[in-house]
Amino acid sequence: MKVVEIKKGIIRVEFYKNNPVCVYEDYFVINETKYSNDNNDYVSEENGVLNKYKDENSLCVFINGNFEPVKVKYSFPTFFDENVWIEYSYSEDKNADVRFMEHGEETLFAIKTPNGIHSPRYIKDKSILLFNDPAQKYLLAYSKTGEFLWQYTEEEDELKINWRCIPVVDDVVVVISLYGARPKKIQGFNIRTGERLWIIQSEARHEPDTFFLGEDKMLYGCRGYVVKPGIGITKLNPFTCELNVSLIHEDEEFDFMPWNVTMHDRQLYFVDNRRGNEIGVIDVDKRELIERVPLNIKKKVTIGTPVVTDDKVYVYIDDLQELRVFEK
């Protein structure tokens, strides 16, 4: 990789259809087109949907080159597609009134929640919605029409469900229970019935808390280590629960979080957060660190998750308000 462009003075970067949306003080740029932001709207991207808003009453979604207004009923929605989203509001008993919109068709239903809902997911090919709770103790499954399907509750007091990563592979839902930031239990459930298919009691040696789905339907993840120097890489078969864990590139410190990793093709991309910083690339088949590109930053800074396309790698450095573009 080599740097081909550095953009400075950027307050925030979002990515829309694999292209950076650069937000400056009073304007933002999409595909080299400049949009005024005199209203100081917040520009964000979610599941391939670019939107801007000051509050839920001013929400607009970017469609065919224009920002189109969206009318909400309850609250700011979670988008799954430009024309698919969910919104909800709580009653006094923390049950939720839900509005699910799909291509103009509205579905209203209620959810009985032990502690509210958080981070909804829509599994489109199954027509199933998954919900966490803010306390990270349960997972709920509902049909998109509001039919309750099943619930998993994490009953071990010291464990919490990792809401950031709940992979769904065919009919298998993978649930990772964490002790702090380390996985202690990994389970597979049938997405339609909630039947537990398998369980792994993890020793949390090198396993990451975040997995990425390969085109072979296997799950891959990695994490950096300082205490026992090196990089841990994991392959999980979601159908058989076979877990392949190994420590690669030993005897050197690495400081990156498993959720700040991107998988593209058969490679995992991470940004090391040590002083100086670097981009690293791991080949999941060779199980090797195959490329390292220094960023040459003198101080320790906060760096976002790398965004990877077929020909470029984008790295946003928040502390420097700087976007670096690398050519593969």
Side-chain angles (χ1 to χ4, degrees), residues 206-239:
H206 313 308
E207 295 92 326
D209 64 8
T210 304
F211 289 96
F212 302 90
L213 180 62
E215 78 285 348
D216 56 358
K217 296 187 178 180
M218 298 294 104
L219 296 172
Y220 299 90
C222 62
R223 69 179 306 143
Y225 292 92
V226 176
V227 177
K228 184 175 182 179
I231 297 175
I233 180 170
T234 300
K235 176 183 177 181
L236 171 62
N237 185 322
F239 308 109

Side-chain angles (χ1 to χ4, degrees), residues 260 271 273 277 299-304 316-320:
N260 284 338
V271 177
N273 285 312
N277 309 97
K299 62 179 181 177
K300 186 172 183 178
V301 296
T302 300
I303 301 179
Y316 179 62
I317 306 165
D318 184 66
D319 296 324
L320 304 180

Side-chain angles (χ1 to χ4, degrees), residues 121 132 136-139 152 154 158-168 173-189 198-200 202 204 207-212 219-221 223 234 236 243 258-259:
R121 292 166 171 80
N132 296 109
Q136 299 171 241
K137 296 301 290 186
Y138 65 79
L139 179 69
Y152 168 70
E154 179 52 73
E158 72 276 14
L159 299 185
K160 293 184 177 182
I161 296 171
N162 183 11
W163 62 269
R164 288 191 181 94
C165 180
I166 303 179
V168 177
V173 181
V174 178
V175 178
I176 305 166
S177 294
L178 304 177
Y179 178 76
R182 303 283 177 153
K184 290 291 289 183
K185 184 167 58 180
I186 306 173
Q187 300 174 89
F189 297 89
W198 50 262
I199 182 171
I200 299 171
S202 170
E207 295 92 326
D209 64 8
T210 304
F211 289 96
F212 302 90
L219 296 172
Y220 299 90
R223 69 179 306 143
T234 300
L236 171 62
L243 190 68
W259 57 85

Side-chain angles (χ1 to χ4, degrees), residues 82-278:
E82 291 174 348
N83 299 295
V84 183
W85 73 85
I86 193 170
E87 52 186 277
Y88 47 88
S89 67
Y90 293 125
S91 57
E92 291 183 0
D93 57 6
K94 291 191 176 179
N95 289 335
D97 293 318
V98 176
R99 181 194 192 209
F100 179 71
M101 294 292 296
E102 188 168 33
H103 300 285
E105 183 176 338
E106 179 186 69
T107 302
L108 302 174
F109 58 93
I111 290 181
K112 293 183 178 181
T113 68
N115 189 36
I117 55 178
H118 172 68
S119 186
R121 292 166 171 80
Y122 180 42
I123 316 305
K124 184 177 180 180
D125 62 334
K126 306 289 189 298
S127 297
I128 290 176
L129 292 158
L130 298 177
F131 303 92
N132 296 109
D133 72 309
Q136 299 171 241
K137 296 301 290 186
Y138 65 79
L139 179 69
L140 289 171
Y142 274 77
S143 75
K144 71 175 184 179
T145 58
E147 177 190 1
F148 171 73
L149 300 177
W150 55 275
Q151 174 178 329
Y152 168 70
T153 302
E154 179 52 73
E155 296 180 348
E156 296 187 45
D157 292 340
E158 72 276 14
L159 299 185
K160 293 184 177 182
I161 296 171
N162 183 11
W163 62 269
R164 288 191 181 94
C165 180
I166 303 179
V168 177
V169 190
D170 290 349
D171 284 340
V172 181
V173 181
V174 178
V175 178
I176 305 166
S177 294
L178 304 177
Y179 178 76
R182 303 283 177 153
K184 290 291 289 183
K185 184 167 58 180
I186 306 173
Q187 300 174 89
F189 297 89
N190 182 286
I191 192 171
R192 301 183 189 280
T193 67
E195 175 192 1
R196 188 167 72 182
L197 305 173
W198 50 262
I199 182 171
I200 299 171
Q201 297 288 351
S202 170
E203 296 180 8
R205 296 164 297 163
H206 313 308
E207 295 92 326
D209 64 8
T210 304
F211 289 96
F212 302 90
L213 180 62
E215 78 285 348
D216 56 358
K217 296 187 178 180
M218 298 294 104
L219 296 172
Y220 299 90
C222 62
R223 69 179 306 143
Y225 292 92
V226 176
V227 177
K228 184 175 182 179
I231 297 175
I233 180 170
T234 300
K235 176 183 177 181
L236 171 62
N237 185 322
F239 308 109
T240 67
C241 79
E242 179 184 358
L243 190 68
N244 189 331
V245 184
S246 59
L247 187 64
I248 67 171
H249 205 87
E250 299 181 50
D251 302 323
E252 185 176 355
E253 292 183 357
F254 289 88
D255 182 15
F256 64 89
M257 298 297 103
W259 57 85
N260 284 338
V261 173
T262 298
M263 186 170 189
H264 189 267
D265 293 332
R266 304 294 292 169
Q267 297 174 342
L268 297 167
Y269 292 75
F270 67 86
V271 177
D272 201 301
N273 285 312
R274 295 169 299 162
R275 188 180 300 275
N277 309 97
E278 67 177 75

